[in-house]
């Protein structure tokens, strides 16, 4: 029996490289999708510069108003990796060398020149933290309270998410169902509004596109209740057909 | 002579589709790059759900602590497009139909079935707003005070940015120079730190990668001062070479 409470998470993406436009973020979307499967909703994301005070401020605001807070980025070996320091500041705890993290790094770097000062930075954690397994490279992720500090490199984050799968308490996963039509969304706005209004607990998102010289849109119905979702989907499909559009199940 | 003051902007990405993971955001990166060229730094991004109060709260916090605030998304014709309402609430002004926007839409939709209720939503603006030209489709963007409300669809936003180019007061553009090396960043962390420390006003970002079975990293030096940037780049290159790595100008 699934839990009917709604669980929420926030995400802080840490890194000047996202704010400068140099790097295209890929973690928001992969963490959002992973959270959906855990029955947790991503409610807010902030992208913050490599700045101690800005990170600490965002950490304290978001960890208090969400069940979970994830961060990505800033846990590597270089001078611009300050997430552990900023989180420790926010939580008012010391930074310590985690003995298991140190052992993992010593093993990982045994045939790669050993652990130097930069590499040892990756064993630093806020006092009281546990490690999150890194299945891709050496340095682990970090959990402390409801905070999860993940890597910035998307495929390393993916491995950490995999290691966390099933370990977070969540509610009913958010289900979705998609319909598509070659309809300008401006022609069927009232159909969407009526369908959403008539089905409590359902949300309808409208995502227009322009392809092969023609406009169309996909309509994503979302609900945690499978029955409501299906009822809303059927009503929306009927409304769109009544408005004169052919509807494609699963979207275009 | 360029202005030495630092101008900052924030961005609010509005839309459940980003938070659900359905859509991969592309606006953060394109707006960040465009701002750099205008001499304005993107300091913070928030991704917010389609929720009036959450949007209004973020608008009021971010418009006050930045020179400019951009939003993307939520200015279309459907029920989930509530950016204009949320911004009007934040600014405590009425929502009005902008006569020029209405005329633009009437012309655009003249041979597409005319302006209906949904389409007329796209002429709604906070009282006192000006329009931002939309070179791709009908509905314009909106400027009020230091707020710029842009489309969610990236190529429409691109057209609006193009229309705004050169119209925002900015400082010296942030310059950057990239070096690459097949070096594990954990081996050269001290070289990076030393180079950054020795060159005031320069920041060095380290961006590791894993290609063809080997790790490497690109190092991006950023400064608004071309001379400092070049001095720092030369020093960093020498440091990396001294550490035994071949350095590629422009990055790998």
């Amino acid at each position: 029996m699934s839990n009917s409470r709604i669980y929420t998470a926030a995400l802080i993406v840490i890194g000047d490289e996202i704010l400068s436009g140099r790097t295209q973020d890929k973690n928001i979307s992969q963490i959002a999708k992973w959270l959906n499967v855990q029955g947790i909703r991503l409610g807010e994301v902030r992208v913050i510069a490599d700045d101690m005070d800005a990170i600490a401020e965002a950490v304290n605001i978001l960890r208090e108003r969400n069940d979970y807070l994830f961060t990505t980025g800033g846990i590597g070996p270089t001078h611009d990796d300050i997430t552990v320091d900023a989180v420790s500041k926010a939580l008012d705890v010391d930074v310590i060398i985690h003995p298991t993290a140190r052992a993992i790094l010593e093993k990982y770097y045994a045939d790669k020149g050993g652990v130097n000062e930069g590499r040892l930075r990756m064993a630093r954690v806020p006092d009281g933290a546990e490690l999150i397994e890194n299945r891709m490279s050496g340095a682990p992720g970090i959990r402390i309270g409801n905070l999860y500090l993940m890597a910035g490199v998307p495929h390393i984050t993916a491995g950490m998410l995999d290691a966390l799968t099933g370990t977070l308490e969540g509610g009913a996963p958010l289900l979705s169902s998609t319909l598509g039509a070659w309809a300008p969304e401006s022609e069927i706005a009232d159909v969407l509004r009526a369908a959403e209004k008539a089905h409590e607990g359902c949300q309808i998102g409208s995502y227009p596109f322009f392809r092969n010289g023609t406009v169309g849109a996909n309509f994503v119905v979302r609900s945690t209740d499978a029955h409501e979702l299906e009822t809303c989907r059927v009503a929306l499909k009927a409304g769109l057909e009544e408005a004169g559009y052919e509807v494609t199940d699963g979207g275009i």
Side-chain angles (χ1 to χ4, degrees), chain A residues 131-143:
Chain A
L131 305 180
I132 299 169
E133 190 186 343
N134 174 351
R135 297 175 177 180
M136 304 292 157
S137 55
I142 298 163
R143 184 186 82 77

Side-chain angles (χ1 to χ4, degrees), chain A residues 40-252:
Chain A
I40 299 163
R41 245 175 257 187
L42 182 60
E44 185 178 356
V45 179
R46 295 194 187 178
V47 188
I48 308 267
D50 299 330
D51 176 287
M52 284 278 283
D53 293 332
I55 299 169
E57 183 198 85
V59 163
N60 274 335
I61 291 171
L62 296 178
R63 76 188 171 96
E64 276 169 27
R65 67 183 192 204
N66 290 279
D67 295 298
Y68 305 101
L69 172 59
F70 285 73
T71 69
T72 58
I75 61 168
T78 60
H79 66 288
D80 54 350
D81 292 307
I82 58 169
T83 301
V84 166
D85 305 83
V87 167
S88 300
K89 185 177 176 182
L91 303 180
D92 197 19
V93 299
D94 290 334
V95 176
I96 62 153
I97 299 281
H98 194 293
T100 312
R102 182 181 196 141
I104 289 168
L105 293 170
E106 276 167 356
K107 191 173 165 195
Y108 184 78
Y109 288 112
D111 59 353
K112 300 181 186 74
V115 170
N116 58 19
E117 195 190 334
R119 287 169 176 171
L120 192 58
R121 278 180 70 80
M122 296 188 283
R124 296 164 78 249
V125 303
D127 197 359
E130 294 169 16
L131 305 180
I132 299 169
E133 190 186 343
N134 174 351
R135 297 175 177 180
M136 304 292 157
S137 55
I142 298 163
R143 184 186 82 77
I144 179 159
N146 66 343
L147 263 79
Y148 294 77
L149 316 185
M150 319 287 279
V153 179
H155 80 272
I156 299 181
T157 301
M160 292 179 178
L161 291 174
D162 194 47
L164 286 175
T165 296
T167 67
L168 278 66
E169 186 179 343
L174 192 62
L175 308 172
S176 72
S177 188
T178 303
L179 297 171
W182 291 97
E185 63 168 357
S186 56
E187 297 243 324
I188 43 70
D190 51 342
V191 177
L192 302 179
R193 191 184 292 110
E196 187 178 272
K197 211 172 168 185
H199 297 88
E200 197 149 350
C202 289
Q203 285 186 312
I204 304 176
S206 172
Y207 306 112
F209 56 78
F210 181 73
R211 276 182 227 157
N212 313 324
T214 311
V215 295
N218 285 308
F219 311 106
V220 181
V221 188
R222 296 189 185 93
S223 177
T224 56
D225 182 312
H227 177 73
E228 270 296 314
L229 180 74
E230 179 57 13
T231 313
C232 183
R233 189 192 70 80
V234 168
L236 176 59
K237 186 173 181 178
L240 292 168
E241 286 171 345
E242 214 167 285
Y245 295 101
E246 201 174 312
V247 178
T248 306
D249 288 307
I252 293 167

